[in-house]
Amino acid sequence: PIRDGAGTLFGVVLVFRDVTERRRADEARVRLAAIVESAQDPIVSKGLDGIVRTWNSGAERLFGYTAEEIVGKHITILLPPERLFEEAEIMERLHQGQPDELLDTVRVTKDGRRINVSVRVTPIVDSEGRVIGASKIVRDISVHKRLEEEIRRANASLERGVAERTEELRKTIAELERFTYTVAHDLRAPLRGVHRYSELLLDQGGQLPPAEAEGHLRRIADAAKRMDQLIGDL
């Protein structure tokens, strides 16, 4: 308002500012917030002090905490005791301005369950490029890990089965070798008799007395009969 010396209003001054870019930025932030909130994957942001700043519905579904319960608390509430070192390492890399990373790890839900998750950590920077925090996109990979473990057990079982079958086959081959040796030895004995007495008859057939020649022939016949019995037994 413009007034004269007596305080009488006689005009106004209008000052205009172009807030188009600011409105666009505000709308973009609103849209981004809506996208983050409606995302199926848990999306969490924290400051460099490790305090949770934002917590979407996906995080609530996975971990069981509502935003009211966890925003303002330290992110280590989700870490099992033996993995607390991970947060210190993540914060150190953030302070150093290192790019985003993917981490397969374990987190704890509100009811105490341990779940296998994959966490992508991305630095959050301000308008001057300074790192002021981090966003985390979390995925539940429990089913994937369970399948990996089942495959590992199946492979181990298969390897044991192959080893057992190989050992059985080795024993079977050894038994077969012993059996073959025994058979060959047993069959050779009558063959040697047939060969020996046949040679005697061939070499001395005309000079041997009939009784002796008949004895040789009888031994040949007995050897052949024994071999026939052995083959029949086999």
Side-chain angles (χ1 to χ4, degrees):
I2 302 174
R3 302 179 186 276
D4 59 17
T8 303
L9 178 66
F10 66 89
V12 295
V13 175
L14 302 179
V15 180
F16 294 92
R17 289 183 180 175
D18 185 356
V19 296
T20 304
E21 292 303 320
R22 191 182 70 187
R23 290 292 300 274
R24 287 176 179 168
D26 289 343
E27 291 172 359
R29 281 193 292 270
V30 170
R31 285 196 298 270
L32 179 59
I35 291 172
V36 170
E37 179 58 30
S38 61
Q40 294 299 310
D41 287 334
I43 301 177
V44 181
S45 69
K46 65 178 183 179
L48 291 179
D49 54 3
I51 300 300
V52 176
R53 297 287 188 261
T54 62
W55 183 265
N56 76 339
S57 58
E60 182 176 339
R61 285 191 296 272
L62 180 60
F63 294 107
Y65 293 99
T66 64
E68 291 76 15
E69 290 174 315
I70 201 167
V71 169
K73 290 186 171 59
H74 203 277
I75 193 70
T76 51
I77 194 174
L78 302 176
L79 275 65
E82 72 277 8
R83 290 186 177 268
L84 290 176
F85 69 92
E86 292 180 354
E87 185 61 22
E89 292 178 352
I90 291 172
M91 298 307 297
E92 179 63 25
R93 286 192 288 270
L94 285 175
H95 281 293
Q96 295 174 359
Q98 294 186 12
D100 63 334
E101 61 173 335
L102 189 63
L103 174 68
D104 285 355
T105 183
V106 177
R107 292 294 180 259
V108 181
T109 64
K110 182 180 178 180
D111 59 7
R113 289 183 300 108
R114 294 188 174 214
I115 54 175
N116 293 287
V117 295
S118 176
V119 183
R120 181 169 293 281
V121 183
T122 303
I124 299 174
V125 297
D126 60 14
S127 58
E128 297 180 2
R130 295 174 301 188
V131 178
I132 59 174
S135 67
K136 295 185 176 183
I137 300 177
V138 185
R139 286 191 175 175
D140 184 356
I141 57 172
S142 299
V143 173
H144 176 71
K145 287 294 184 180
R146 188 162 57 249
L147 289 175
E148 280 186 347
E149 179 61 21
E150 289 176 0
I151 291 172
R152 187 193 65 76
R153 287 198 298 267
N155 286 338
S157 176
L158 180 60
E159 289 175 0
R160 287 194 300 272
V162 170
E164 291 171 0
R165 299 297 183 275
T166 302
E167 179 63 17
E168 290 175 2
L169 182 59
R170 188 194 65 78
K171 291 180 179 178
T172 300
I173 291 173
E175 291 173 0
L176 182 59
E177 288 174 346
R178 290 192 294 271
F179 173 74
T180 304
Y181 175 81
T182 301
V183 168
H185 180 271
D186 290 348
L187 288 176
R188 282 196 182 104
L191 275 176
R192 283 193 294 270
V194 170
H195 181 265
R196 181 169 62 253
Y197 292 114
S198 297
E199 287 291 326
L200 288 173
L201 287 174
L202 289 172
D203 292 343
Q204 306 174 18
Q207 304 172 8
L208 290 173
E212 187 175 348
E214 182 180 352
H216 289 343
L217 289 173
R218 193 179 306 283
R219 294 184 184 93
I220 291 172
D222 289 343
K225 183 178 179 181
R226 187 149 57 91
M227 178 175 283
D228 180 68
Q229 183 177 355
L230 285 171
I231 292 173
D233 291 341
L234 288 174

